[in-house]
């Protein structure tokens, strides 16, 4: 075999070994994320310059299985609306303007939903945990006064959840 043929064979062999090693390195789904996201498609760091190499089949990313505790944003917003709507008279919620924050304590979600009631700006606030099929609501508040950013940050940290200083 000529040195050109040896170099070509060695290159093809190394590329096949590298592709085989990378195939076993797919990321595992994480249970700590609020919603599953598909893994980013992996591409080789350098293109394959050899036209004689057999193409290796590429794996398409698969969606991570949804864990029972994974809420979608719309589910969190709807749970908060359902928990607080009886606290208002003639309310109109702005679900698109909702704010969802991951808390450092349980329940893990703070959901703030702007609303209008009787001509006033209002806001529903909820802390939600559990799962979409069995949500746990610790705090649910219907107020005609939106929370200050300072109070929101306290709720994220699990401080001052009783509403008094």
């Amino acid at each position: 075999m000529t040195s050109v043929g040896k170099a070509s064979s060695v290159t093809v062999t190394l590329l096949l070994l590298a592709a085989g090693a990378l195939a076993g390195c797919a990321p595992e789904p994480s249970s700590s994320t609020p919603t599953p996201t598909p893994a980013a498609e992996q591409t080789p760091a350098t293109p394959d310059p050899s036209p004689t190499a057999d193409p290796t089949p590429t794996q398409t990313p698969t969606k991570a299985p949804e864990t029972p505790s994974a809420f979608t944003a719309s589910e969190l917003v709807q749970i908060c609306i359902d928990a607080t709507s009886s606290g208002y008279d003639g309310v109109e919620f702005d679900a698109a303007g909702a704010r969802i924050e991951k808390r450092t304590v349980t329940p893990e979600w703070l959901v703030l939903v702007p609303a209008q009631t009787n001509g006033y700006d209002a806001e529903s606030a909820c802390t939600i945990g559990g799962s979409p099929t069995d949500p746990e609501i610790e705090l649910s508040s219907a107020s005609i006064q939106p929370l200050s950013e300072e109070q929101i940050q306290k709720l994220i940290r699990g401080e001052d959840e009783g509403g008094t200083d």
Side-chain angles (χ1 to χ4, degrees), residues 118-131:
N118 295 325
Y120 293 100
D121 286 335
E123 184 176 64
S124 289
C126 302
T127 55
I128 302 170
S131 69

Side-chain angles (χ1 to χ4, degrees), residues 75-144:
E75 287 171 327
L76 288 167
V77 170
Q78 191 59 53
I79 290 167
C80 189
I81 289 172
D82 292 344
T84 59
S85 61
S86 64
Y88 297 109
D89 184 37
V91 66
E92 187 174 320
F93 289 98
D94 177 14
R99 177 177 173 181
I100 300 170
E101 296 285 346
K102 176 91 168 129
R103 292 171 23 112
T104 58
V105 296
T106 57
E108 59 267 10
W109 298 108
L110 171 63
V111 181
L112 304 165
V113 185
Q116 285 281 319
T117 182
N118 295 325
Y120 293 100
D121 286 335
E123 184 176 64
S124 289
C126 302
T127 55
I128 302 170
S131 69
T133 56
D134 188 23
E136 296 172 7
I137 303 166
E138 186 174 290
L139 166 81
S140 63
S141 169
S143 175
I144 59 169

